Amino acid sequence: MRTAVLERPEYVIPMVNFLLGIAVGIAAVLVAEFLFFTQGGMPVSARNGQPMPLERFVTGRALQVATGQDAKRPSPIPADAPNLLAGAKVYRENCALCHGAPGAAPRSPVAQGMFPRPPKLMPPDKGVSDDPVGETYWKVKNGIRLTGMPGFEGALTDTELWQVSLLLLKSDQLPDSVKETLR
């Protein structure tokens, strides 16, 4: 009885070696990343440095995707003087410690010790007045992981969340009575 010998086409061995090389290369990169992160290569202090490029990209993209549909939500309440005044009170009590108030001294010691530093949200800084109000609402409601920005859902009513979001949207065009409340 004859046994059949299977012949491999001559391209199989180089193809296997190529795929094996790719697998080994990917594994080496993953091991290097693991060692980088677990052996102290990544800065974790809140006092020093800038975000790493990949860190900035990944967190920015993740936040953009998370706020996606909510960013398009319109406010269910008007941006009138009573709501802006109520939003100013919410801001002064819950936000000014980290984000500062208009015309106030530099950030508090709490904000200076955070990483990343909380953005200034009131004029003369740009703040978030060019962000959709729904996006600001999402950030105030849910917070942002690994930034120190807490989520205020449960601590503030839905109306208060919208009021402070509208205040930030209109921060560059506030009536004097609202500016006075913020001081």
Side-chain angles (χ1 to χ4, degrees):
M1 186 182 284
R2 279 178 74 182
T3 54
V5 177
L6 293 176
E7 291 188 30
R8 286 185 222 138
E10 43 186 77
Y11 62 84
V12 170
I13 298 295
M15 178 74 75
V16 169
N17 287 341
F18 175 74
L19 293 175
L20 186 60
I22 288 178
V24 168
I26 290 171
V29 168
L30 293 175
V31 167
E33 286 178 353
F34 175 79
L35 292 173
F36 175 78
F37 289 119
T38 61
Q39 300 304 311
M42 182 172 169
V44 293
S45 170
R47 300 191 49 121
N48 303 331
Q50 294 293 321
M52 297 174 67
L54 184 61
E55 177 184 11
R56 188 178 301 125
F57 170 76
V58 169
T59 56
R61 180 70 181 133
L63 185 59
Q64 183 182 14
V65 170
T67 61
Q69 290 302 314
D70 282 334
K72 298 174 186 168
R73 283 180 68 184
S75 174
I77 62 174
D80 57 14
N83 281 321
L84 292 175
L85 191 59
K89 291 175 184 173
V90 170
Y91 184 89
R92 190 182 65 222
E93 293 171 13
N94 297 284
C95 312
L97 177 67
C98 294
H99 295 288
R107 296 185 181 126
S108 70
V110 170
Q112 291 175 9
M114 295 176 75
F115 182 84
R117 301 286 182 263
K120 300 238 353 151
L121 299 178
M122 291 289 171
D125 296 284
K126 183 181 93 154
V128 293
S129 60
D130 58 345
D131 289 353
V133 70
E135 179 178 340
T136 303
Y137 169 83
W138 187 97
K139 291 174 182 177
V140 174
K141 178 181 177 182
N142 297 294
I144 304 171
R145 284 176 79 133
L146 305 175
T147 66
M149 174 62 188
F152 286 94
E153 182 177 35
L156 299 174
T157 66
D158 201 53
T159 300
E160 290 171 321
L161 294 170
W162 281 112
Q163 288 168 333
V164 76
S165 299
L166 286 170
L167 172 82
L168 294 171
L169 176 70
K170 302 292 184 182
S171 64
D172 55 352
Q173 43 188 306
L174 295 172
D176 289 336
S177 60
V178 175
K179 289 179 187 175
E180 188 58 38
T181 300
L182 288 168
R183 288 191 184 94

